[in-house]
Amino acid sequence: VQLQAFGGGSVQPGGYLKISCASSEIALHDHTIGWFRQAPGKAREWITCISGSDGGTHYSDSVKGRFKISREKYKPEEVYVQINDLTPEDTAVYYCAAPKFWYIDCSELESDYEYWGQGTQVTVSS
């Protein structure tokens, strides 16, 4: 199963971006989707997730209040993350991931996710 992460780019500090995740093979509208990021020289970290079972959303402390994960209202097979007030520390490759079954709930552990996107680069610099 392939996921596609897209929407990254280069922005100035304080700017915003929307990154998205899509799949033609699994139904994202009711599937748990998690996002991770990996900054240069650092380990990959979990940042946010939306639950397939109840739609609940979860955020790491590093992004809470600036990132918002949602399902697209008119594109139910996409899950996006609105990223606001970007800082250079947000520079990373962002990955979306899904567990094997839609009902498996959100997790911060990479090992709980079966399917991964290829990543989309977000660069924040002035």
Side-chain angles (χ1 to χ4, degrees):
V1 174
Q2 291 289 320
L3 302 179
Q4 294 84 40
F6 57 95
S10 296
V11 296
Q12 293 185 338
Y16 60 91
L17 271 178
K18 185 174 86 170
I19 56 176
S20 299
C21 182
S23 176
S24 60
E25 299 176 71
I26 59 174
L28 298 194
H29 66 272
D30 63 354
H31 208 109
T32 292
I33 298 295
W35 282 87
F36 292 74
R37 68 182 180 184
Q38 187 166 21
K42 294 188 178 181
R44 189 153 57 183
E45 66 167 332
W46 171 84
I47 55 172
T48 184
C49 183
I50 186 166
S51 171
S53 60
D54 63 6
T57 57
H58 308 272
Y59 301 92
S60 68
D61 289 342
S62 61
V63 305
K64 194 175 296 182
R66 298 188 300 120
F67 287 35
K68 182 178 180 181
I69 188 169
S70 298
R71 303 188 193 278
E72 287 275 9
K73 183 176 182 180
Y74 300 107
K75 298 179 182 178
E77 300 309 329
E78 288 187 14
V79 171
Y80 72 91
V81 180
Q82 178 68 40
I83 308 173
N84 298 318
D85 194 20
L86 280 156
T87 72
E89 289 68 40
D90 294 315
T91 295
V93 178
Y94 286 71
Y95 299 91
C96 61
K100 188 171 184 178
F101 300 109
W102 66 271
Y103 52 81
I104 295 177
D105 216 337
C106 284
S107 170
E108 299 178 17
L109 301 177
E110 290 185 43
S111 57
D112 287 336
Y113 295 86
E114 182 81 11
Y115 311 121
W116 291 80
Q118 80 288 1
T120 185
Q121 176 72 49
V122 173
T123 302
V124 185
S125 69
S126 53

